[in-house]
Amino acid sequence: MGGTTSSTGRGGGTSLGDLPENCVAEVMLRLDPTEICGMARLSRTFRGAASGDGVWEAKLPRNYARLLAAAAAGDDSEEAAALELEAIPKKEVYARLCRRNRLDGGTKEFWLDKVGGGICMAIYSRALSITGIDDRRYWNFITNDESRFHSVAYLSQIWWFEVRGEVEFFFPEVLTTSMAGT
């Protein structure tokens, strides 16, 4: 019985690299981003599929263009100008949104969660209205290089406090499914 011989002379049938790239991309649509990156290391076919816009666009929130614009507006570097180009691969858009992006003069940050895909936000304590925050008997601001905002509000003592703040931001729509008939 004759078998198929590969050009390397090892014999045997097909390999992962023989799969059509569009089939690999369909599988990758069902994986999370870290799994996609791991699969991209397997072969050129997998790397090509993992670089496809369709795979990464499925991982982006529906309003990713608005989020990207917000990221560019809060970024003072030359990268902000580059983000305005329409020909950015979706993989790069995803990577950019997963990094911390500053808003409102650096008093807020947002980023895309790599695992769950949700939007995360951090708000600097000075961007909030906190009862007694200006009274040094109760609160102190301590410089801290480990803080993303480089200082933290330290509560010395207080009996009660109230925190208020406003956020103008384009959070993505939350899709819900109907449970009717189940």
Side-chain angles (χ1 to χ4, degrees):
M1 291 202 200
T4 307
T5 306
S6 70
S7 61
T8 59
R10 292 190 198 155
T14 59
S15 68
L16 287 174
D18 295 332
L19 289 170
E21 195 172 293
N22 62 339
C23 290
V24 174
E26 279 296 318
V27 170
M28 288 184 174
L29 286 172
R30 288 148 182 83
L31 301 176
D32 67 47
T34 53
E35 292 171 324
I36 293 169
C37 292
M39 297 283 287
R41 295 185 197 122
L42 294 177
S43 72
R44 286 183 184 163
T45 303
F46 280 60
R47 189 170 32 260
S51 297
D53 277 353
V55 171
W56 291 100
E57 190 161 12
K59 306 303 176 194
L60 290 167
R62 287 182 169 191
N63 67 338
Y64 74 86
R66 287 184 117 174
L67 296 173
L68 190 63
D75 192 357
D76 295 331
S77 68
E78 292 179 18
E79 184 180 5
L83 287 174
E84 295 176 15
L85 300 174
E86 292 211 14
I88 303 171
K90 299 299 186 265
K91 183 177 179 181
E92 287 183 37
V93 171
Y94 181 86
R96 175 62 166 102
L97 292 177
C98 285
R99 292 194 304 260
R100 295 184 184 275
N101 300 285
R102 292 192 174 245
L103 298 170
D104 296 339
T107 61
K108 297 176 185 85
E109 291 181 343
F110 79 92
W111 63 96
L112 187 63
D113 179 45
K114 292 178 187 175
V115 178
I119 299 292
C120 302
M121 182 172 274
I123 303 173
Y124 181 38
S125 58
R126 291 195 191 257
L128 299 169
S129 173
I130 303 174
T131 302
I133 195 79
D134 295 324
D135 191 336
R136 294 187 57 90
R137 293 177 296 170
Y138 306 118
W139 295 89
N140 292 311
F141 283 95
I142 300 171
T143 302
N144 185 339
D145 291 335
E146 293 180 21
S147 168
R148 64 180 57 108
F149 297 110
H150 304 294
S151 73
V152 294
Y154 176 77
L155 176 61
S156 303
Q157 70 174 27
I158 202 157
W159 300 110
W160 67 274
F161 69 95
E162 184 177 343
V163 178
R164 293 178 185 232
E166 290 185 18
V167 175
E168 289 186 30
F169 190 72
F170 305 106
F171 286 101
E173 295 177 17
V174 177
L175 300 177
T176 58
T177 57
S178 173
M179 298 298 284
T182 57

